[in-house]
Amino acid sequence: MNITNSKTNWAEKRIGDHCIVGDGAHASIKRQATGKMYLTSKNFKDGGLDLSKVDYISEVDYNKYFREDSKALSKPQVNDIVFSIIGTIGEPYLVKIQDNFGLSSSVSILRPDKSVIFPEYLYYWIQGHTFQNALYGIK
């Protein structure tokens, strides 16, 4: 649905119009004491990551479920926006170059088309009242 506001000439678009949308792994991956970080919705708070209680998975499982060549969008890349979709719904994080983690299916991934929208803008828009109020209406 493309609606143009006659007062501003802004067109309303859906996130899926300008982002690839996915989520983390849909598998029961065995946790262990060390290894690759495996984040769930509990790790997303206040526009950042809460790493006080992190799960870890083996390198083998990480490479199995978060492959670069996967057709599914499950491995976050730099400038993706990831956010919790269970529990603390709507807490976003902008993936940085140094980040290297896997995600559970309780975390959504948005990969914006950078020719249309700046990832930083989308990140701040998700934190804004319009998006957050829409989420609370769904809860």
Side-chain angles (χ1 to χ4, degrees):
M1 170 169 71
N2 294 332
I3 302 171
T4 303
N5 182 327
S6 61
K7 293 180 183 180
T8 62
N9 291 328
W10 285 68
E12 291 184 19
K13 301 284 186 172
R14 296 179 184 269
I15 287 177
D17 292 340
H18 298 297
C19 294
I20 300 171
V21 180
D23 60 5
H26 287 260
S28 295
I29 304 174
K30 184 181 177 191
R31 308 310 201 278
Q32 56 186 45
T34 61
K36 291 283 192 177
M37 283 196 301
Y38 184 67
L39 305 182
T40 67
S41 61
K42 73 176 183 246
N43 297 113
F44 294 85
K45 292 195 172 77
D46 301 322
L49 295 179
D50 176 0
L51 301 178
S52 61
K53 296 179 185 172
V54 176
D55 291 330
Y56 295 93
I57 61 175
S58 72
E59 187 84 29
V60 170
D61 282 341
Y62 178 81
N63 292 330
K64 177 180 178 182
Y65 292 104
F66 303 102
R67 296 187 339 256
E68 293 287 342
D69 63 346
S70 175
K71 292 183 182 185
L73 178 65
S74 61
K75 182 176 181 177
Q77 296 178 358
V78 174
N79 288 320
D80 284 353
I81 293 90
V82 294
F83 66 94
S84 54
I85 55 176
I86 295 174
T88 55
I89 296 174
E91 292 291 340
Y93 177 73
L94 182 64
V95 178
K96 296 165 186 56
I97 197 164
Q98 70 271 15
D99 292 330
N100 187 16
F101 49 75
L103 296 171
S104 79
S105 60
S106 67
V107 181
S108 179
I109 303 170
L110 300 177
R111 183 161 299 148
D113 177 351
K114 294 179 209 68
S115 70
V116 178
I117 188 166
F118 291 111
E120 295 86 356
Y121 176 85
L122 182 59
Y123 166 74
Y124 287 112
W125 181 78
I126 288 171
Q127 287 184 312
H129 295 295
T130 301
F131 186 85
Q132 291 297 319
N133 287 342
L135 281 179
Y136 286 111
I138 294 169
K139 288 181 188 180

